[in-house]
Amino acid sequence: MANTRRPASQRSTSQRSTRKRRADGEESRRRILDAAAEIAGERGYDGTSIGEVSARSGLPASSIYWHFANKDELIAAVIERSFERWLAAVELPGPEVGDAGERVRTMAVGLAKALLDTPDFLRLGLMLALERRPAEPTARTKFLQVRQITRERIAEAIRELTPELPESSVRALTTYAMAGADGLFIAHELDGDDTDLVALFELHARSLSDATARELDTHRSNP
């Protein structure tokens, strides 16, 4: 029986070629996502087109369609990538940081800094979330999914710091925390550098700590 196994040199060349194609594909995808994020941030969902992404990225439309079925799927991927980078900041620091208030403040500062670095998911997501369309865009669905993950992370932090609170209070405080963060982010988007997002998130953290303490006092007074 003939030996059909390729020589080691041929296998090595094939492996290098495969790795190069994979690396080239990853680089192309990154360039496409970067270009789409820039354009969507400037012009919104409707103002973004595959043609403009192609021109901005320097890649042909065929390359974009190889990675993404359509514009909607592309914008969904932009939201997901930005969210994954930001999610690492949605963690409550440990007790070594200080008391409950200091832990919340530290978490809030981390969230603000992460938003400044990776704002795409919230910027694009809020635009899409406020719109009503006959057909639900995949990108809007993706944003609502990642927003739910954020909600669960914040609720977990509140439960850890105040385990006595009833679930109704946890839900209300979580909604308050997220609504405040949304509003502060929008203020920064509108006012730019005139708005210190980090300082405002610190203020929001103190307000949230005060609101949580009041909820806890109310619960203890009316068990």
Side-chain angles (χ1 to χ4, degrees):
M1 181 176 178
N3 184 1
T4 58
R5 184 179 177 84
R6 289 182 299 170
S9 60
Q10 290 184 13
R11 293 199 304 272
S12 178
T13 299
S14 176
Q15 289 168 355
R16 285 197 299 270
S17 177
T18 299
R19 286 195 296 269
K20 185 179 185 305
R21 285 197 301 271
R22 185 180 297 117
D24 289 346
E26 291 171 356
E27 173 61 15
S28 294
R29 191 176 193 276
R30 183 194 63 77
R31 287 168 57 186
I32 292 165
L33 289 172
D34 287 348
E38 289 176 5
I39 295 168
E42 296 166 3
R43 307 180 188 181
Y45 180 88
D46 287 330
T48 304
S49 70
I50 295 295
E52 289 167 336
V53 173
S54 174
R56 184 78 60 97
S57 67
L59 294 166
S62 59
S63 179
I64 299 172
Y65 284 118
W66 190 87
H67 288 281
F68 306 100
N70 49 43
K71 179 185 81 170
D72 190 30
E73 186 178 297
L74 170 57
I75 299 299
V78 169
I79 290 173
E80 184 172 31
R81 182 184 67 162
S82 175
F83 175 74
E84 287 173 350
R85 293 174 176 175
W86 179 81
L87 186 61
V90 193
E91 292 286 351
L92 182 68
E96 68 279 0
V97 170
D99 60 17
E102 185 61 22
R103 292 170 72 186
V104 171
R105 189 197 70 81
T106 301
M107 180 178 177
V109 168
L111 291 174
K113 290 178 178 178
L115 272 180
L116 291 172
D117 289 339
T118 55
D120 298 325
F121 87 93
L122 191 54
R123 179 185 294 139
L124 297 175
L126 288 174
M127 291 179 189
L128 288 165
L130 295 173
E131 293 180 348
R132 291 293 182 268
R133 296 170 181 268
E136 182 83 341
T138 302
R140 184 177 189 274
T141 301
K142 174 58 65 176
F143 174 69
L144 295 178
Q145 289 172 348
V146 301
R147 187 175 178 81
Q148 182 59 29
I149 294 171
T150 304
R151 172 178 286 277
E152 291 167 0
R153 287 281 186 94
I154 293 174
E156 287 171 5
I158 294 171
R159 292 189 192 102
E160 180 177 338
L161 293 172
T162 50
E164 294 178 57
L165 275 181
E167 195 59 27
S168 58
S169 294
V170 173
R171 288 195 298 271
L173 290 166
T174 300
T175 299
Y176 172 72
M178 294 187 65
D182 289 342
L184 295 176
F185 176 77
I186 291 171
H188 181 267
E189 288 289 290
L190 293 174
D191 300 334
D193 292 337
D194 290 338
T195 300
D196 187 339
L197 192 63
V198 174
L200 287 174
F201 264 64
E202 287 190 86
L203 177 61
H204 184 42
R206 290 197 294 272
S207 298
L208 179 61
S209 294
D210 291 343
T212 302
R214 288 194 297 272
E215 283 288 314
L216 190 56
D217 287 343
T218 300
H219 175 63
R220 287 169 173 169
S221 301
N222 302 282

